[in-house]
Amino acid sequence: MSMPNSLLMDFTTPDLDRRFSGLDRLYGAGAWQSISQHHVVVAGIGGVGSWCAEALARSGIGHLTLVDLDHIAESNINRQVHALGSTLGASKVAVMAARVRDINPACQITEVDDFVDAGNIQSILADHPPGVLIDCTDQVPAKIAMILQARTSAWPMLCCGGAGGKTDPLSLRAGDLSEAAHDALLGRIRQTLRQQHGYPKGGATGGKPRQRVPRMKVQCLWFEQPVRLPEAWTAAAPQGLSCAGYGSSVTVTATMGLAAANWALERCLAG
C-alpha cells in the first residue's frame, strides 16, 4: 500500500543542517558551519586517505582536494572504503569524489588525477587559499615534497606513516617526526630531511650527547608496533614499505585515516 503524499519525506533536497547538526551538539553552535568554510587537501586516496576523505565529508568540510593517479584494484577491497565490486578499475579520485557528493552535496571538490611529486605540489596548493594538507601517500619522494612545500607555505600538514604490516590499531601515536618509532617509512623521511634539507639531527653534538632530540616540526601519525613481515619475506628482502608489499587490515588503515581527519577538523575549528 502506497503512503499518502503528505507522509512522504522529501529526500531530493538535502537538509544540511539536519545532516551535520550532530557536530553542533558536540562542538558547539556554529561548528559545522565553521568547518564548511575550510579546505583540506588529501594526498593519496588509498587505505588511509579514503577513510580520511570519507570522515571529512561526513563532518561537513566545505572543500576537499583529492589527489591520486591510481585506480581501484580487487586487492584494495580489504582496506579501502571506496573499493567495491562495482568500482573495480575506476579512478580512486573519481569514485571518492562521487561518494563525497552523495554525502555532502554542498562540498566543493577538486579532483587531481595525478601522483604528488616535487614538480606539482606547489601548483596543487597554490590554486587555493591556505588550508590543511593531509599526506596519506606511501612514497618517500612524495612525502618529502609535501613536507618541504608545507614548510615554505601557510599550510598546516600531517604526515601519515605506514599502515602496512601493522595489526594493533590501539598502538597509534601522534607527535613530531623526531619521535616516531617502529616506522620504516617515517625513518627514511627523517634521515633524508636531516641529511639533505638541513633539518635538526639527533644524537651527539660537539662531542657531547644531546639531552633531548630536537624537534623537526613535522607532525606525524604512526603505529608504534614492530612490523609483521609476510612469511614469504623470511627468505627474501622486503619488497616495499606500502600496504601492497606488507599485509594490511582495514582496522588499522581506517584508524589512521579517521585520526588524520580528526587532526584536520581540530585545526579547522581552531580557526
Side-chain angles (χ1 to χ4, degrees):
M1 183 177 68
S2 61
M3 296 177 63
N5 289 337
S6 59
L7 297 181
L8 291 176
M9 297 183 67
D10 179 13
F11 292 110
T12 60
T13 303
D15 185 345
L16 298 181
D17 284 322
R18 184 171 176 81
R19 290 192 185 196
F20 303 116
S21 61
L23 293 162
D24 284 2
R25 295 194 299 274
L26 180 63
Y27 295 113
W32 91 258
Q33 289 86 349
S34 176
I35 293 170
S36 73
Q37 302 301 309
H38 286 81
H39 175 212
V40 178
V41 175
V42 181
I45 311 300
V48 174
S50 63
W51 291 98
C52 179
E54 176 99 354
L56 290 168
R58 293 186 184 276
S59 300
I61 198 72
H63 185 181
L64 267 178
T65 294
L66 308 174
V67 189
D68 206 322
L69 185 60
D70 208 357
H71 290 70
I72 295 172
E74 202 151 17
S75 60
N76 301 150
I77 288 178
N78 82 309
R79 66 187 182 278
Q80 301 185 17
V81 71
H82 51 11
L84 307 166
S86 59
T87 62
L88 293 178
S91 160
K92 289 185 177 181
V93 164
V95 173
M96 198 70 238
R99 284 184 67 90
V100 172
R101 293 187 183 98
D102 208 14
I103 294 165
N104 180 11
C107 183
Q108 180 183 348
I109 306 169
T110 300
E111 300 176 39
V112 180
D113 197 26
D114 202 354
F115 292 127
V116 172
D117 58 34
N120 65 14
I121 183 57
Q122 183 175 4
S123 63
I124 289 172
L125 300 185
D127 291 341
H128 312 286
V132 178
L133 173 60
I134 305 295
D135 163 29
C136 301
T137 66
D138 56 18
Q139 298 298 316
V140 171
K143 300 177 98 64
I144 294 290
M146 283 184 274
I147 290 169
L148 296 178
Q149 184 61 37
R151 183 171 66 168
T152 61
S153 70
W155 286 73
M157 177 188 167
L158 180 69
C159 179
C160 293
K166 307 288 184 167
T167 59
D168 181 7
L170 297 181
S171 70
L172 184 66
R173 302 290 182 267
D176 189 76
L177 178 59
S178 63
E179 304 169 318
H182 296 294
D183 193 300
L185 182 60
L186 294 183
R188 288 190 185 181
I189 292 166
R190 181 168 54 218
Q191 181 181 40
T192 301
L193 291 175
R194 286 173 170 171
Q195 292 180 347
Q196 301 180 20
H197 299 285
Y199 279 74
K201 298 180 180 180
T205 177
K208 298 180 180 180
R210 292 186 186 273
Q211 296 299 313
R212 183 179 180 183
V213 177
R215 298 177 68 83
M216 301 176 72
K217 299 182 180 179
V218 178
Q219 291 298 302
C220 299
L221 292 177
W222 69 92
F223 290 100
E224 200 158 292
Q225 172 197 14
V227 69
R228 176 176 291 187
L229 299 178
E231 291 182 3
W233 288 9
T234 57
Q239 302 300 305
L241 298 176
S242 68
C243 287
Y246 292 128
S248 58
S249 167
V250 67
T251 60
V252 170
T253 62
T255 296
M256 180 174 276
L258 297 179
N262 186 68
W263 188 91
L265 291 172
E266 287 178 344
R267 273 126 198 94
C268 293
L269 289 168

